[in-house]
Amino acid sequence: AQSVAQPEDQVNVAEGNPLTVKCTYSVSGNPYLFWYVQYPNRGLQFLLKYITGDNLVKGSYGFEAEFNKSQTSFHLKKPSALVSDSALYFCGLGNKLIFGSGTRLLVRP
Amino acid sequence: GAGVSQSPSNKVTEKGKDVELRCDPISGHTALYWYRQSLGQGLEFLIYFQGNSAPDKSGLPSDRFSAERTGGSVSTLTIQRTQQEDSAVYLCASSLESQAGKNIQYFGAGTRLSVL
């Protein structure tokens, strides 16, 4: 079955520390993977995508994600978290218009 | 230019009533998507339109749900005989031609539907 999983409902980090939001996927063929962020009472905003090419993808607001085919993962990362990064993050599989359940990121001052 | 616009932003209705939710996509975007976001849940795909092709309705949860896209632009999602479990935020997105899911989707702010 084709699916996306975000195993953590919430991730808590201190400002200035690195953050990781996890995503794993299952798909037949090559995956098209996306990360979106949702701030309160707003629609989703695009952060970055992997279609093909380099496994390390750089996106908006200093975020990056690493595509790992052997582990079927596409984890979102940022070297130094900001309080303003606190939001709901969704991983998406473009091929099937499937999104994960979302991970709430809380960055404490 | 303007982003994806959805109206109304909030809708409160009584159980059993019909509701219509509207989406104005970004001009020139040929693909349009509807999703549902329930409290504590992720995004659930409902339906998508790509140009003049037949829409992909595979995500619609029941025959009470339907959607139209007139003239390749504005879309209306209709829910008939609303039930309390229909309460959710309904999100619309648009993108340049779908290209098998490669393109970035631009989302509206959503319509929050509350069924009493």
Side-chain angles (χ1 to χ4, degrees):
Chain A
Q2 326 224 30
S3 63
V4 174
Q6 292 180 243
E8 302 154 316
D9 290 336
Q10 182 161 315
V11 170
N12 298 308
V13 308
E15 187 173 33
N17 283 0
L19 69 87
T20 298
V21 182
K22 295 179 180 178
C23 173
T24 59
Y25 67 90
S26 173
V27 69
S28 302
N30 296 320
Y32 305 139
L33 295 161
F34 294 78
W35 275 101
Y36 288 83
V37 59
Q38 186 179 34
Y39 297 100
N41 300 314
R42 302 281 296 277
L44 277 68
Q45 298 177 30
F46 170 78
L47 278 180
L48 50 79
K49 68 176 179 179
Y50 172 84
I51 303 297
T52 186
D54 290 342
N55 290 342
L56 186 63
V57 179
K58 293 189 182 295
S60 307
Y61 313 121
F63 284 93
E64 58 189 29
E66 185 170 9
F67 172 69
N68 187 317
K69 187 172 183 178
S70 62
Q71 297 185 5
T72 61
S73 67
F74 189 58
H75 300 331
L76 181 70
K77 299 182 180 184
K78 186 172 183 180
S80 178
L82 300 173
V83 172
S84 58
D85 292 331
S86 298
L88 189 57
Y89 291 80
F90 288 95
C91 181
L93 183 61
N95 317 51
K96 292 296 176 181
L97 300 174
I98 299 172
F99 285 85
S101 55
T103 299
R104 187 165 301 281
L105 174 65
L106 181 61
V107 182
R108 59 184 185 275
Chain B
V4 177
S5 177
Q6 292 187 246
S7 60
S9 55
N10 283 283
K11 176 70 176 179
V12 180
T13 191
E14 294 179 351
K15 178 181 174 181
K17 300 285 189 183
D18 297 352
V19 296
E20 286 189 352
L21 312 180
R22 177 186 169 105
C23 174
D24 281 279
I26 293 172
S27 178
H29 281 189
T30 57
L32 186 147
Y33 314 77
W34 283 99
Y35 296 89
R36 179 167 69 176
Q37 184 176 23
S38 303
L39 187 63
Q41 302 293 319
L43 285 175
E44 177 187 9
F45 163 72
L46 297 177
I47 186 171
Y48 107 88
F49 299 86
Q50 170 55 49
N52 295 321
S53 302
D56 178 350
K57 303 180 181 180
S58 60
L60 295 178
S62 77
D63 58 9
R64 296 187 295 106
F65 288 72
S66 63
E68 291 184 340
R69 188 177 186 192
T70 55
S73 181
V74 172
S75 177
T76 302
L77 177 69
T78 301
I79 308 174
Q80 296 179 309
R81 305 181 301 282
T82 52
Q83 304 295 312
Q84 288 184 331
E85 60 263 30
D86 298 335
S87 297
V89 176
Y90 290 81
L91 293 169
C92 175
S94 70
S95 73
L96 294 171
E97 58 181 307
S98 178
Q99 288 190 24
K102 292 181 181 179
N103 280 324
I104 298 167
Q105 295 180 49
Y106 295 84
F107 285 80
T111 293
R112 182 175 298 278
L113 175 66
S114 299
V115 182
L116 303 179

